[in-house]
Amino acid sequence: MATRLTESTFLSGANSAFIEQLYARYLKDPGSVDPGWARFFAGLDDDAQEVLKELEGASWSPRKSRLVSNGETMAEAKAELAPTPPQTVDQDSIRAATLDSIRALMLIRAYRVRGHLIADLDPLGIEGNAHRPELDPAAYGFTEADYDHEIFINYVLGLETATLGMILEVVKETYCGSVGVEFMHIQEPDEKSWIQENVEAPRNRLELRPDQKKAIFGDLTDSEGFETFLQVKYTGTKRFGLEGAEATIPALEEIIHRASQLGVKEVVLGMPHRGRLN
């Protein structure tokens, strides 16, 4: 049934621009669209227009674009929009499947915006498990019975279709792991898209070779040893320490190393005067 709905709904065979145009018509004049679609759009929240744009999917997804603007002719687009004669699907079922897609996109967007608030940044477990209502699938109308339900998301997470359980697994792994990501507040679209692509494609994981791990461990050990030396040699001296920020050292080294590969000849580091000992 899920496969039939995916094939029959306009989301799979049509242009995402068509959806946006339909929604734009509704915003200008609710009476200009079918009453069923008017009820459907009326049920969406303020993020609806932003979410509908995400139906184009992720730029890094391995699939052929179906956008008219990417070379597909209007005749071909209309041909895809036209219903297949042998297949007849209940309109209510189509709207239900479409609504599931929209709600899933809203949930994904919520994790992009606020997923870092429940990231696993407390190894001691002192703060406990944080709960954010806006990250709960129930807030979008999903129930436990929907976790195994196949939903069409048009490669938004690199997946054409996925169950709700799979979607949650991907967004939690990406945005709620031991490294949180907060970027949706950035006003520059290109910068925001770059971060999103480089975080979601590898699911916020960095694969390192054994020698790279050893090099990072060596940097951390050296920085910790230098901290200990400063504490003994200059006891009570005002200075800025690395406690809690030791990862800055290998991060800076990698930034400088990569910058040199890209042609940077000089790097200037600014530091408060009390940090000269470091």
Side-chain angles (χ1 to χ4, degrees), residues 203-271:
R203 297 192 184 180
N204 204 8
R205 287 190 307 231
L206 180 60
E207 299 295 337
L208 298 173
R209 301 189 307 271
D211 61 310
Q212 292 175 318
K213 294 181 180 180
K214 290 179 181 179
I216 292 175
F217 179 73
D219 291 336
L220 294 175
T221 303
D222 291 343
S223 61
E224 182 64 26
F226 188 51
E227 279 286 287
T228 303
F229 167 76
L230 292 177
Q231 182 62 30
V232 174
K233 184 68 174 179
Y234 303 98
T235 303
T237 302
K238 291 183 178 180
R239 58 187 176 82
F240 288 98
L242 279 175
E243 291 86 353
E246 290 84 358
T248 304
I249 298 300
L252 283 174
E253 182 174 357
E254 179 60 25
I255 291 173
I256 295 173
H257 177 68
R258 181 58 178 159
S260 66
Q261 292 178 337
L262 296 176
V264 175
K265 301 299 183 182
E266 182 180 2
V267 176
V268 178
L269 296 178
M271 186 68 192

Side-chain angles (χ1 to χ4, degrees), residues 59-60 175 181 183-184 186 188-202 255 258 262:
S59 60
W60 45 267
Y175 294 106
V181 184
F183 68 98
M184 292 295 284
I186 297 176
E188 181 59 43
D190 291 340
E191 294 179 2
K192 184 163 59 175
S193 297
W194 185 89
I195 294 175
Q196 180 175 309
E197 176 179 340
N198 285 274
V199 167
E200 290 187 353
I255 291 173
R258 181 58 178 159
L262 296 176

